[in-house]
């Protein structure tokens, strides 16, 4: 949109990291800005750039050097990830931040927002950014009335951001959206001086101040869901029980829950619990069931413990697991059960 870009070109704050097209410098600034205000990061940014002016110098640094230059910014994992990212870029991409979204996303610590910001600003790659500020602007501009904390809302807003992107000048457009969100379309929007006023639905309906809608989701409970693998020849035991926390209405492989956040009740003997923990293998697979963030694992259990498992029981062929235990979890774990058979 022309009005937005014109406004940005004549009004934006003169910030060093906004005056460059060097992907490395943009990358560092975007990482610093993720949890820190512009005014608080400027001096750290300059010191960082003096010491590490390019990918090569950062990739040759030590963790201690990077952390000491990050003092005052907090969230030190960002600094360590930047260093790891620099080493990765040196090794994989010859020291140059790649102009390709998938390659950029493979860099440690680089997510959608950072990749899109760097690629659009440095290379004019037509990728729209979506951070908190941009979400606020888009929600008001398009009168988007869903809870923006929901995963689906994020996807929908990303689509709106993509549609709204000025594809001829994506770098300026993205910076303009961030700047507008930071200076004009703030919590209390200053619509009178906004370049989007004429086409903004939030303004025309007088609903801008009530948007975006943010309803905090219940905090997620972190758990390990350890499936108990009872084998008889090539068969697995599955059970059905209304008294368990998940899969109350379907057959499932029996499971044991471990959580630091909550105490889950179960009737297993101490001997079985010890056996579960001793044989427990955590997989790389994750899952999510209403408010539970789940790390999946399994534990091979000798058949003599079978009588401790309650509920209706059934022995099934391993290759029938997806059919008999109709959850995407069984698909995720099938290979682990098969590999042991
Ligand atoms: Fe935000 Fe108001 Fe501008 Fe709409 S007109 S984008 S609500 S500042």
């Amino acid at each position: 949109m022309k009005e937005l870009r014109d406004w940005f070109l004549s009004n934006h704050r003169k910030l060093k990291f906004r005056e460059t097209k060097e992907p490395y410098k943009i990358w560092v600034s975007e990482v610093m800005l993720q949890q820190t205000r512009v005014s608080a990061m400027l001096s750290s940014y300059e010191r960082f750039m003096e010491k590490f002016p390019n990918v090569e110098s950062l990739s040759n640094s030590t963790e201690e050097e990077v952390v000491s230059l990050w003092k005052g910014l907090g969230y030190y994992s960002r600094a360590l990830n930047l260093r790891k990212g620099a080493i990765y870029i040196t090794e994989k991409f010859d020291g140059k931040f790649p102009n390709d979204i998938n390659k950029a996303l493979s860099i440690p610590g680089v997510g959608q927002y950072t990749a899109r910001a760097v690629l659009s600003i440095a290379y004019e790659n037509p990728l729209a950014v979506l951070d908190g500020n941009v979400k606020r602007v888009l929600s008001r501009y398009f009168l988007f009335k869903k809870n923006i904390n929901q995963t689906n809302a994020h996807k929908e807003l990303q689509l709106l951001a993509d549609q709204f992107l000025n594809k001829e000048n994506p770098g300026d457009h993205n910076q303009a959206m961030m700047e507008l969100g930071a200076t004009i379309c703030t919590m209390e929007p200053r619509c009178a001086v906004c370049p989007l006023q004429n086409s903004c639905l939030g303004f025309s309906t007088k609903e801008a101040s009530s948007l975006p809608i943010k309803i905090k989701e219940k905090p997620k409970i972190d758990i390990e869901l350890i499936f108990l693998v009872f084998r008889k020849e090539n068969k697995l035991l599955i059970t059905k029980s209304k008294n368990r926390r998940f899969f109350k209405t379907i057959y499932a492989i029996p499971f044991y829950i471990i959580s630091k956040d909550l105490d889950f009740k179960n009737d297993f003997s101490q001997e079985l619990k010890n056996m579960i923990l001793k044989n427990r293998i955590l997989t790389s697979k994750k899952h999510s069931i209403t408010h539970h963030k789940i790390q999946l694992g399994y534990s091979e259990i000798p058949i003599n413990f079978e009588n401790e498992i309650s509920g209706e029981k059934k022995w099934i062929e391993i290759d029938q697991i997806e059919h008999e235990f109709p959850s995407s979890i069984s698909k995720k774990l099938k290979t682990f059960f098969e590999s042991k058979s």
Side-chain angles (χ1 to χ4, degrees):
M1 174 181 275
K2 188 176 175 309
E3 295 91 324
L4 180 62
R5 183 164 182 251
D6 289 348
W7 168 83
F8 174 69
L9 293 179
S10 43
N11 289 287
H12 68 88
R13 294 168 289 177
K14 304 286 178 269
L15 302 167
K16 267 204 173 164
F17 55 85
R18 294 270 182 257
E19 309 294 327
T20 178
K21 286 281 177 188
E22 278 186 53
Y24 169 74
K25 292 183 176 168
I26 296 164
W27 174 39
V28 173
S29 71
E30 290 301 334
V31 172
M32 281 192 178
L33 282 169
Q34 274 163 24
Q35 317 277 352
T36 314
R37 286 181 175 277
V38 170
S39 54
M41 61 72 90
L42 279 176
S43 56
S44 301
Y45 179 75
E46 287 187 12
R47 266 185 284 130
F48 198 93
M49 277 306 148
E50 243 170 61
K51 177 86 177 168
F52 307 121
N54 46 38
V55 171
E56 192 192 355
S57 53
L58 182 56
S59 67
N60 288 326
S61 66
T62 64
E63 287 193 350
E64 291 71 26
E65 284 174 321
V66 175
V67 166
S68 88
L69 279 175
W70 206 262
K71 278 207 179 98
L73 293 170
Y75 300 97
Y76 288 92
S77 57
R78 290 182 296 164
L80 298 175
N81 272 338
L82 261 180
R83 177 177 169 274
K84 273 190 211 156
I87 295 169
Y88 187 86
I89 292 171
T90 304
E91 286 170 359
K92 300 268 182 188
F93 305 124
D94 220 9
K96 191 159 187 276
F97 199 102
N99 180 11
D100 174 282
I101 185 78
N102 292 321
K103 287 180 183 164
L105 288 171
S106 73
I107 300 166
V110 173
Q112 282 287 347
Y113 172 80
T114 310
R116 284 166 175 263
V118 176
L119 267 57
S120 62
I121 299 169
Y123 300 123
E124 295 297 337
N125 206 319
L127 296 161
V129 296
L130 189 63
D131 67 355
N133 281 338
V134 177
K135 279 185 183 177
R136 185 169 56 251
V137 176
L138 290 173
S139 298
R140 291 169 173 173
Y141 186 81
F142 287 104
L143 213 61
F144 184 84
K145 291 190 174 177
K146 293 185 186 167
N147 173 15
I148 63 163
N149 287 334
Q150 280 176 342
T151 321
N152 280 352
H154 183 90
K155 280 186 200 155
E156 288 177 40
L157 282 168
Q158 183 66 64
L159 282 176
L160 287 176
D162 294 344
Q163 280 168 25
F164 195 52
L165 180 69
N166 173 344
K167 296 188 179 57
E168 287 179 4
N169 304 100
D172 286 348
H173 174 94
N174 280 336
Q175 292 183 84
M177 289 294 279
M178 297 181 211
E179 189 77 356
L180 193 77
T183 61
I184 303 280
C185 196
T186 49
M187 294 299 277
E188 293 297 329
R190 299 193 294 131
C191 303
V193 291
C194 177
L196 301 184
Q197 194 201 80
N198 285 341
S199 47
C200 174
L201 290 173
F203 174 72
S204 62
T205 60
K206 299 191 172 45
E207 292 188 68
S209 298
S210 61
L211 295 171
I213 294 169
K214 285 186 190 174
I215 302 166
K216 275 212 170 138
E217 287 193 64
K218 269 194 188 172
K220 296 244 180 206
I221 303 167
D222 271 315
I223 64 170
E224 284 179 21
L225 194 58
I226 309 299
F227 287 95
L228 310 188
V229 182
F230 289 89
R231 293 180 192 274
K232 213 184 312 186
E233 293 156 5
N234 199 31
K235 294 190 168 164
L236 282 181
L237 178 71
I238 57 172
T239 62
K240 191 157 110 176
S241 168
K242 284 192 190 124
N243 300 326
R244 59 192 181 197
R245 193 165 184 97
F246 308 117
F247 317 118
K248 292 177 193 234
T249 57
I250 58 171
Y251 274 96
I253 301 170
F255 54 84
Y256 180 69
I257 298 173
I258 302 173
S259 169
K260 285 189 212 99
D261 302 332
L262 279 185
D263 201 12
F264 288 99
K265 224 179 96 214
N266 67 71
D267 301 325
F268 297 157
S269 66
Q270 193 56 47
E271 199 184 352
L272 176 52
K273 287 184 200 166
N274 293 343
M275 181 63 68
I276 294 168
L277 294 178
K278 182 170 149 242
N279 294 347
R280 171 178 62 152
I281 293 176
L282 290 178
T283 71
S284 55
K285 307 283 180 188
K286 304 267 194 286
H287 196 76
S288 155
I289 303 177
T290 51
H291 309 308
H292 297 80
K293 221 165 92 193
I294 301 174
Q295 163 73 60
L296 296 174
Y298 61 93
S299 189
E300 300 273 340
I301 305 294
I303 197 93
N304 55 311
F305 287 99
E306 187 198 330
N307 57 2
E308 287 203 36
I309 308 298
S310 58
E312 295 168 45
K313 294 180 187 171
K314 194 152 95 166
W315 289 91
I316 59 153
E317 301 287 340
I318 292 174
D319 61 7
Q320 288 300 302
I321 186 70
E322 285 177 65
H323 174 68
E324 298 280 356
F325 173 18
S327 156
S328 51
I329 283 187
S330 56
K331 192 172 186 183
K332 288 179 183 170
L333 292 181
K334 192 174 172 214
T335 47
F336 297 105
F337 301 139
E338 284 173 340
S339 64
K340 296 273 176 178
S341 63

